[in-house]
Amino acid sequence: MKILAIDTSADETSAAVTDGRKILSNVRYSQILAHTQWGGIVPSIAKRAHQERIDFVIQKALKKAGQTIETIDYIAVTYGPGLSVALEVGIAKAKELSKQFNKKIIPVNHLEGHIYSCFVQNSRGNPKRPFQFPYIVLSISGGHTMLAVFDDHLTYKILGETVDDAAGEALDKAAKMLGLGYPGGPIIEKLASLGDRRYHYFPRPMRSSLNLDFSFSGLKTSFLYFIRTLSPVEKQNHMNDLAASYQEAVFDSLLFKLKDAVKKTGIKNLLVCGGVAANSYLRQRVRSLAKEAGGSVLFPSYPMLTGDNAAMIGVVAYYKAKKGAFVEDVLNFEREPRAPLTST
Ligand code: KG4
Ligand code: ZN
């Protein structure tokens, strides 16, 4: 089953052709450079960049996969969650192609895409990774932070979510406060690897709450207040230590709740996805947690699948198509910027 998948949920314009779990092509055009100077995604810039690139990206994905729109079975597109004006570009394009070439549309939730990024295979079908349900999912990116049980295909139970900022957003904002650029996660990771995690103790919000929700906005504020107490020279001299201490607080908050989730559910197979899952130090900490629990952990199967990409959307779409989950009323098919993760 050949699927043309499109994701324009944030700052990557991406199109892919997938066949079952296999990637035939996965083209991504990143807008990071356009947003860097603003320290975050600017909606109007994102919209225009998606519009300018979408046709090119789709054509390139089809060509790389040796396909044409006629040889594709279905079109998959991310309907949410994400940036409204950005989602709209992908949806409008999917509708246009659907009408012109008489193809059904499969609507895909971006969060589901990140979960299935751990099961995407290359064109030779590697890695094999058979599904071993159930999994505990920790999905961490710039737009969301969530713990869920992945019970079976397209079946989820949400355990906890952030009540304010996302984990990636917390890293991005700290980097912005330090004048380090965007996206902050990879920059903080690099500096933190050279710094002292014990330089300053930042709070671990929600640590003692009994639920599995997260909160990062108090931590962000405490970081801001702390750096205000430093002189420019002190700040400069302790840049690595600040990054390491702050990153430690963000990751501790994630790890505490992940550990609680294992305890609460008894599920030991972990799955960690989303942009922040690119962080090697975080991976190392999750691996130790899994080992301690006598379980295992999966990350996105290839590094390029950690951030936003359309291949992961195509793989979800394959399972949805098998269940007949197509858009019924194409004309009224709309974006859902705050779409929750739901089962099919
Ligand atoms: O999944 P993603 O590409 O887009 C969203 O759906 O949000 O995630 C982007 C987020 C950003 O906040 C970025 O700072 C973070 O992932 N990120 C990282 C790393 N690489 C990207 N955070 C920590 N360490 C990294 N190496
Ligand atoms: Zn994402």
Side-chain angles (χ1 to χ4, degrees), residues 9-12 110 114 140-144 167-172 182-189 247 251 274-280 306-308 312:
S9 58
D11 59 353
E12 303 267 351
H110 185 75
H114 277 298
I140 36 181
S141 80
H144 60 269
E169 191 181 358
L171 296 168
D172 293 341
Y182 169 85
I187 305 171
I188 299 263
E189 172 176 24
Q247 182 185 262
F251 290 175
V276 182
N279 190 291
S280 343
T306 304
D308 290 345
M312 66 188 192

Side-chain angles (χ1 to χ4, degrees), residues 69-89:
I69 186 82
E70 286 88 356
T71 61
I72 292 291
D73 296 300
Y74 303 112
I75 298 166
V77 67
T78 302
Y79 64 87
L83 186 63
S84 194
V85 291
L87 289 165
E88 183 54 32
V89 178

